[in-house]
Amino acid sequence: MVEQAVEQAREEGRQQAQADAQVGGGAFGGAGPREKFESHIVGEFTGFGRGQRYTLANGQVWEQTDASTLAGVRLTDPQVTLTPGMLGAWFLRVDGYNTRARVRLVN
């Protein structure tokens, strides 16, 4: 049981490192520092929820990893800001709202 948890944690770390490499490199200027950026969610946004996936205009897909909620919201193509946090974390915030959700890059 403990071995399974350790292996799962390792795999999550590997996935996060891959996501960080994709975000920190390529279209964002090589292996330089991660910087916040703006885009918009394609289609309808109905609030935050763990496991939700958000597709941005640049084709990136981000998945929410925390339990943040933003209930009662229904927007089409909302503008968003993605901000890097500590230890490889990324946070997504929808313009006009203070709530932010922790996300990870899926592709």
Side-chain angles (χ1 to χ4, degrees), residues 11-25:
E11 180 57 29
E12 288 174 3
R14 281 191 284 270
Q15 289 175 358
Q16 187 64 50
Q18 287 174 340
D20 290 345
Q22 289 175 347
V23 172

Side-chain angles (χ1 to χ4, degrees), residues 11-105:
E11 180 57 29
E12 288 174 3
R14 281 191 284 270
Q15 289 175 358
Q16 187 64 50
Q18 287 174 340
D20 290 345
Q22 289 175 347
V23 172
F28 296 98
R34 301 177 316 145
E35 295 180 13
K36 85 176 187 178
F37 65 97
E38 295 181 358
S39 186
H40 72 269
I41 293 175
V42 177
E44 188 171 39
F45 172 76
T46 57
F48 290 134
R50 184 188 304 268
Q52 293 261 43
R53 289 190 172 195
Y54 311 103
T55 301
L56 302 185
N58 64 6
Q60 292 178 337
V61 178
W62 293 79
E63 180 177 45
Q64 183 174 334
T65 60
D66 69 1
S68 295
T69 60
L70 186 58
V73 176
R74 175 170 252 127
L75 303 168
T76 302
D77 298 330
Q79 188 74 20
V80 296
T81 302
L82 281 103
T83 308
M86 307 251 330
L87 302 173
W90 281 92
F91 295 93
L92 182 139
R93 188 184 61 78
V94 176
D95 284 4
Y97 297 89
N98 289 330
T99 302
R100 65 184 192 162
R102 184 175 176 154
V103 293
R104 69 178 181 94
L105 184 63

